[in-house]
Amino acid sequence: MHVVNGKTYPCCTSVTMGIIGGKWKTVILYHLMEGPLRYNELRKKMKSVTERALSLQLKKLEEDGVIKRKVYTSKPPLRVEYSLSAMGKTLVPLLQAIAEWGDTVIAKEHQYSLDFSAN
C-alpha cells in the first residue's frame, strides 16, 4: 500500500491514475503543456466540459500539486491563470505518450473503416 497526500493506493499505477485519471484531468493537463491558460481559454479548448466539471477538476489538480493557480489582482478585472507545476511538468512525457497512442488508435480505426468500406 502507498499513501500519497493522505490517500491510500494499492499500487503505484493507482497513484498515477488517482491523480490524473478521469474524463477531464488529462485533457486539462494536455492543454496546459502548451503554457499557462486562463479559465475561459481552457473552456474554449474543451467545448464539451461543463463549467462545474472544469472547476472541480482544476481544484483537484491544484490540490494534488499538479497545476498552479495564479491570481492577478493588479488591475480589475481579476485574472486567474493555470499552469503546470514542477510536479506537473514531470507528467509531460507521459501525456505526450498518451496523446501519441490516441493518434495511433485513431489512424488504425480510420484505416480499418477505409478497408471495410472498400469491400
Side-chain angles (χ1 to χ4, degrees):
M1 292 298 230
H2 305 282
V3 178
V4 177
N5 292 336
K7 299 174 193 164
T8 303
Y9 299 94
C11 69
C12 54
T13 57
S14 63
V15 172
T16 305
M17 294 312 296
I19 293 172
I20 68 165
K23 186 173 181 177
W24 297 112
K25 288 180 182 178
T26 53
V27 179
I28 293 166
L29 295 171
Y30 177 79
H31 289 302
L32 291 178
M33 286 190 325
E34 301 168 4
L37 291 171
R38 294 170 67 176
Y39 179 86
N40 284 332
E41 292 171 322
L42 276 169
R43 282 273 294 147
K44 286 178 187 173
K45 291 179 179 282
M46 302 168 58
K47 293 181 183 4
S48 59
V49 69
T50 65
E51 286 193 37
R52 184 176 190 280
L54 181 57
S55 293
L56 287 172
Q57 296 308 298
L58 287 167
K59 185 175 182 173
K60 287 180 183 177
L61 287 166
E62 185 182 11
E63 287 171 1
D64 287 333
V66 179
I67 65 170
K68 297 183 293 187
R69 180 178 184 266
K70 186 170 183 178
V71 180
Y72 294 91
T73 59
S74 58
K75 62 179 183 175
L78 183 73
R79 191 176 82 162
V80 178
E81 194 174 75
Y82 297 91
S83 62
L84 294 177
S85 66
M87 180 179 164
K89 289 177 182 175
T90 66
L91 287 167
V92 169
L94 175 63
L95 296 166
Q96 289 171 329
I98 290 170
E100 288 171 13
W101 187 83
D103 286 340
T104 301
V105 171
I106 291 166
K108 285 184 180 180
E109 184 68 24
H110 179 70
Q111 183 60 46
Y112 175 75
S113 65
L114 291 176
D115 291 343
F116 185 71
S117 63
N119 291 331

